[in-house]
Amino acid sequence: MKRKTPRTILSLLLIALLFITRALPAGATEAQIPEYGLFLSLPASLDVITRNTPPDDPVLRLYGLSTDQLRREGLYLKAYDVTGEYTLALSLSQSGGDYNLLGEAELLGIASSQNGAKAEVFYTSQAVFLLYANTEGTRLTCQTQAGGIGFTLTLSAPSGLKPGMSSTLKAIAQSADFGLGQ
């Protein structure tokens, strides 16, 4: 009987850890923005810098950035694709709006007034997002307002947008945990 007790306790601890640990897709990195209680899963192929990146992190030197620069630019996250195809930038703000309360026509009107381009509306368990490209075909923007947070995630590809970049941006947005539950 005594032999089973340690195994049982160990099994229960492992099960508890599974529930406590955030599930990430294979090959993903988690970024946390504590100021907003926001979590994002990002592809492992990105070098990620947040305002919380330690000042001695070699990634800062690699890209010639500092966390102070992020703050001055109004960014909470900047990520670089290791192949150099694109960068991501995340800006956040306090927001009184909530895209979940708006209809699709109202959301498309917001996108049109901001950039004049066609937009796609897509839904996740926590938010409704707008996704649109600039007219030059070098930038995709994904935005929402949810849980009092204004969220704008921008993918910039100086050599032009390639197939799959839209899916990458949408997957990152879908991973956004605003702390609102399911």
Side-chain angles (χ1 to χ4, degrees):
M1 194 63 123
K2 288 185 180 184
R3 286 180 109 179
K4 287 187 178 184
T5 302
R7 282 190 202 156
T8 304
I9 291 171
L10 182 59
S11 295
L12 290 173
L13 285 172
L14 288 173
I15 290 170
L17 279 174
L18 286 174
F19 284 107
I20 292 171
T21 305
R22 295 187 169 277
L24 291 177
T29 300
E30 184 174 85
Q32 180 181 6
I33 313 298
E35 299 94 329
Y36 287 91
L38 177 70
F39 292 89
L40 290 173
S41 293
L42 300 155
S45 63
L46 296 175
D47 287 334
V48 180
I49 300 168
T50 69
R51 290 182 177 188
N52 302 329
T53 300
D56 61 344
D57 191 306
V59 174
L60 289 170
R61 281 191 308 276
L62 177 65
Y63 294 103
L65 275 177
S66 70
T67 55
D68 287 338
Q69 283 176 280
L70 285 181
R71 284 182 179 82
R72 282 193 302 274
E73 293 175 19
L75 299 176
Y76 284 82
L77 176 144
K78 190 142 188 178
Y80 295 86
D81 176 56
V82 295
T83 65
E85 287 192 344
Y86 66 92
T87 60
L88 291 174
L90 175 66
S91 61
L92 300 166
S93 62
Q94 294 296 323
S95 163
D98 190 336
Y99 283 10
N100 285 317
L101 302 175
L102 302 176
E104 194 164 316
E106 292 170 298
L107 291 167
L108 293 173
I110 290 170
S112 178
S113 70
Q114 289 182 354
N115 73 345
K118 282 187 151 182
E120 175 186 347
V121 176
F122 69 95
Y123 302 84
T124 70
S125 63
Q126 293 196 2
V128 178
F129 288 89
L130 287 171
L131 177 70
Y132 50 89
N134 67 346
T135 54
E136 295 82 19
T138 58
R139 190 175 62 240
L140 283 171
T141 301
C142 183
Q143 72 181 49
T144 192
Q145 292 182 13
I149 300 172
F151 172 105
T152 304
L153 183 63
T154 305
L155 182 149
S156 298
S159 298
L161 298 171
K162 294 186 170 78
M165 289 182 175
S166 175
S167 298
T168 297
L169 193 61
K170 284 173 75 171
I172 294 168
Q174 289 170 337
S175 78
D177 182 347
F178 294 93
L180 303 175
Q182 299 295 328

